[in-house]
């Protein structure tokens, strides 16, 4: 496997009127092509900070990130769809902003919408969709610019349990089919274990990497099928014990 994202000794210090907040300290991580990586850790430890740095929204205070010429896409918390745009226009907005909307890129988006069950909804407005469908639209929107690596920060936290299970399956199938690499921040250990092949545990702040677990499920099983298996329970227990809950 080849590295497509190399994080080396990344630290982040926020300077605030009340003093310095050291968010992350010397984070090093290699992410390989096709990896699905979950980042877990206690609240406030610096997970979103790390993702914002990867995304380029925040600058690391020290350390380096090598993107190996790969491109990054970002799916926001909640779904952040625009209420006044229909599904298709929501999915095209990123391309428009980047000046990359042409017949080919539009075709690519329409194809994704068709393929992933939104064919009959392209002219519908977000308010008329279920939570799970909205998430699929948001996912397709972030795929429209054809990123190699997709970053997600707690993308499903607003959904009910059943919808979370469904969207987990959708994300898994869609991103595998489209050959993407995923880095997802989540509070939910079950989600991390069932969706990802690597779980990175951050310590409490200032966060460093406490441990990285390789998760080995049969690649042809869906996240929902991985739940309640003995292997799932094993991973769950291991990871739960490592997280510094206060
Ligand atoms: N823009 C900012 N300016 C100053 N401090 C910040 C800023 N963003 C985050 N912090 C601080 O950095 C630390 C890490 O925050 P971050 O949001 O990355 O944690 P998190 O792990 O994502 O938390 P949660 O699990 O609650 O989402 C916190 O102490 C937070 O208050
Ligand atoms: Mg956060």
């Amino acid at each position: 496997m080849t590295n497509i994202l190399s994080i080396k000794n990344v630290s982040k210090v926020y300077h605030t009127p009340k003093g310095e907040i050291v968010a992350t300290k010397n984070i090093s991580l290699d992410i390989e092509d096709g990896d699905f990586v979950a980042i877990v850790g206690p609240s406030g430890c610096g997970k979103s900070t790390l993702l914002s740095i990867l995304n380029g929204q925040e600058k690391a205070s020290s350390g380096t990130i090598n993107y190996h010429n790969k491109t990054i896409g970002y799916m926001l918390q909640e779904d952040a769809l625009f209420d006044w745009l229909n599904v298709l226009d929501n999915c095209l907005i990123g391309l428009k902003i980047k000046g990359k909307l042409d017949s080919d890129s539009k075709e690519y988006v329409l194809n994704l919408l068709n393929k992933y069950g939104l064919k009959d909804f392209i002219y519908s407005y977000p308010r008329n969709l279920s939570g799970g469908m909205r998430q699929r639209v948001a996912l397709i929107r972030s795929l429209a610019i054809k990123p190699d690596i997709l970053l997600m920060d707690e993308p499903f936290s607003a959904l009910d349990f059943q919808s979370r299970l469904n969207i987990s399956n959708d994300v898994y199938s869609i991103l595998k089919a489209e050959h993407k690499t995923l880095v997802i921040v989540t509070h939910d250990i079950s989600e991390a274990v069932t969706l990802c092949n690597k779980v990175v545990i951050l310590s409490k702040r200032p966060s460093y990497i406490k441990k990285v677990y390789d998760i080995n499920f049969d690649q042809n099983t869906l996240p929902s099928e991985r739940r309640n298996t003995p292997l799932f329970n094993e991973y769950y227990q291991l990871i739960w014990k490592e997280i510094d809950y206060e």
Side-chain angles (χ1 to χ4, degrees):
M1 282 297 216
T2 42
N3 284 346
I4 65 168
L5 187 59
S6 309
I7 304 166
K8 281 251 168 344
N9 293 323
V10 164
S11 301
K12 176 69 183 179
V13 183
Y14 288 110
H15 300 277
T16 74
K18 287 188 181 156
E20 292 190 338
I21 296 175
V22 184
T24 64
K25 221 173 171 177
N26 285 327
I27 305 267
S28 294
L29 183 67
D30 282 323
I31 294 174
E32 295 178 351
D33 195 8
D35 266 347
F36 283 17
V37 178
I39 298 176
V40 300
S43 187
C45 74
K47 302 180 293 295
S48 296
T49 296
L50 181 59
L51 229 57
S52 307
I53 292 171
L54 295 179
N55 190 30
Q57 269 173 290
E58 290 281 356
K59 220 176 147 331
S61 305
S62 58
T64 57
I65 298 164
N66 187 342
Y67 293 95
H68 303 279
N69 295 319
K70 301 294 180 194
T71 53
I72 300 273
Y74 193 42
M75 189 163 145
L76 297 164
Q77 190 157 20
E78 321 253 312
D79 58 38
L81 296 178
F82 296 115
D83 290 334
W84 60 91
L85 294 179
N86 67 30
V87 164
L88 180 59
D89 287 336
N90 260 293
C91 291
L92 296 178
I93 188 93
L95 289 165
K96 266 186 200 155
I97 291 169
K98 286 183 183 280
K100 288 185 174 165
L101 182 60
D102 55 25
S103 55
D104 280 355
S105 58
K106 187 173 175 182
E107 194 56 42
Y108 176 70
V109 168
L110 279 168
N111 189 31
L112 288 173
L113 288 166
N114 281 344
K115 217 167 21 167
Y116 300 119
L118 291 159
K119 186 174 191 250
D120 297 329
F121 298 92
I122 58 175
Y123 300 116
S124 301
Y125 285 81
R127 64 177 169 276
N128 298 321
L129 304 179
S130 69
M133 287 167 83
R134 293 175 61 112
Q135 292 292 336
R136 251 182 294 148
V137 174
L139 180 60
I140 290 169
R141 177 170 67 182
S142 45
L143 291 175
I145 56 162
K146 297 193 178 171
D148 300 299
I149 304 162
L150 211 63
L151 308 177
M152 298 183 177
D153 191 354
E154 304 266 5
F156 319 132
S157 50
L159 296 178
D160 61 86
F161 181 69
Q162 191 57 47
S163 304
R164 290 177 74 117
L165 292 189
N166 293 338
I167 193 70
S168 228
N169 282 351
D170 289 344
V171 165
Y172 183 83
S173 324
I174 294 173
L175 295 188
K176 281 283 175 231
E178 304 299 323
H179 306 292
K180 302 298 178 188
T181 299
L182 171 68
V183 182
I184 184 171
V185 167
T186 177
H187 270 107
D188 184 338
I189 300 175
S190 307
E191 192 168 272
V193 167
T194 53
L195 184 60
C196 295
N197 65 297
K198 227 179 233 182
V199 177
V200 176
I201 301 178
L202 296 184
S203 70
K204 60 185 179 211
R205 197 171 60 79
S207 57
Y208 57 90
I209 294 183
K210 264 191 101 175
K211 212 148 207 169
V212 180
Y213 282 103
D214 285 319
I215 309 290
N216 293 302
F217 282 107
D218 175 352
Q219 289 298 292
N220 297 316
T221 56
L222 285 172
S224 64
E225 297 167 336
R226 297 172 179 183
R227 287 186 185 247
N228 305 320
T229 60
L231 194 56
F232 166 82
N233 289 326
E234 240 171 77
Y235 287 132
Y236 189 99
Q237 292 303 326
L238 278 173
I239 290 164
W240 185 80
K241 280 188 200 129
E242 283 292 336
I243 298 181
D244 305 324
Y245 292 117
E246 268 139 318

